[in-house]
Amino acid sequence: MTYKLGLIGHPIGHSLSPWIHQQFLDLAELNGEYKLYEGDREALPSVLKHLKETGIDGFNVTVPYKQVIVDYLDEIDNDAEILSAVNTVINRDGKWKGYSTDGEGYVRSLKEPYPTLLNSKTSVLLLGAGGAARGIYRALNGQGVDTVDIANRSQDKAEDLLSLRLDEVKSSVLSYQQAEEQLAKYDLIVQTTSVGMKPNIKDQVIQLDNISKDAVVSDIVYQPIMTQLLQDASGRGANIHHGHAMLLYQGQLAFEKWTGKNLDVAHLVNKLENKLRGE
Ligand code: ATR
C-alpha cells in the first residue's frame, strides 16, 4: 500500500514534518507521501472534507487547529481529551480518531539519552504553562517521578495545569524568582516557553546560578539548536537535551500509530540537527 499522510495547520510552509516522515518511510521501507495541507480557518472545513474524500491514512495537526479539530473527529483518545488538544489523527475504516503525542514524544526523546533520569526520586521543574507545557506536564506525571513543580510568568495559568496532576506526584506553582532560588533541588529542568527562540536568541527565561551539576536542562526551543539557556547550562557543567529531539520523537510516535512500525530513530537526531543548521 501507499500511505497517504500529511499535516494541517497555518502557517506550515517551513514545517520539517515532510522531511522527518520521509526519513521514517525510508527506514521502514514503506511507500507513502506526507503532504502539507495549509489553510486558514475559513478553508479548514474544505481541507478536511478533501482529506476525508481522498481517504488519508493519518495526519498531524498543528497550530492553530489542535483544539478545533476535535469537532471533526469520530473518537478521541482519553489523554487528548483531558488535554483538549489533538496533534495526530488516525483513519480506521473511515473513522477518525485523535491523539496527543506531544507529551509522550517528549518523554521518549528524553529517555533515549537519559534512560534512568525519570524515577521515583526525580524532581522536575517545568518552565512555562502554555499549550506545549500541558502535554509535557501530563506525560511527566505519568512517569512515577517525585515532583513536577511549575514556574510561569502568569501564575494563574500554572495553577490551571495542576488539574492535570496525578495524585501521587508532588506539584507546586512557583514564580521564576522562587524557581531560581531553589534550583539546586531539581534533577530535570524543562523549558517550554518561546523565550530564546529566533530572533531573540539572547533571551533566557531564568538564570541558572544555583543549578546542580548533575541536572539535565531540556529546552523545547530548537531554533536555534543551542539556545542561550542550554549554553548557560552547558557552561556550568550540567547536561543538556535539545528541542529538535522532541520534534523527532513526536513524529516517531505518530508514525507508529499510523503504520504500526516502532522505528529506532536515535541516529536521526544528528541528521535533523544538520538539516536545521542548513548543512
Ligand atoms: P505554546 O503552545 O507554544 O506553549 P502558549 O500557549 O502561548 O504557546 O504559551 C506560551 C508560554 O510561553 C507561556 O508559558 C507564556 O507565559 P505566560 O503564561 O505568562 O504568558 C510563556 N512566555 C511567552 N513569552 C514570554 C516572555 N517574554 N517571558 C516569559 N514567559 C513567556
Side-chain angles (χ1 to χ4, degrees), residues 128-133 152-154 157 176 192-195 205:
N152 194 45
R153 182 175 55 181
S154 46
K157 258 175 93 178
Y176 283 139
T192 71
T193 77
S194 49
V195 177
V205 71

Side-chain angles (χ1 to χ4, degrees), residues 63 66 127-134 151-158 176 191-197 200 203-205 220:
V63 178
K66 287 185 174 188
L127 303 171
R134 288 174 67 82
N152 194 45
R153 182 175 55 181
S154 46
Q155 297 205 12
D156 51 341
K157 258 175 93 178
Y176 283 139
Q191 197 305 107
T192 71
T193 77
S194 49
V195 177
M197 195 183 286
N200 303 314
D203 292 353
Q204 182 172 337
V205 71
I220 72 161

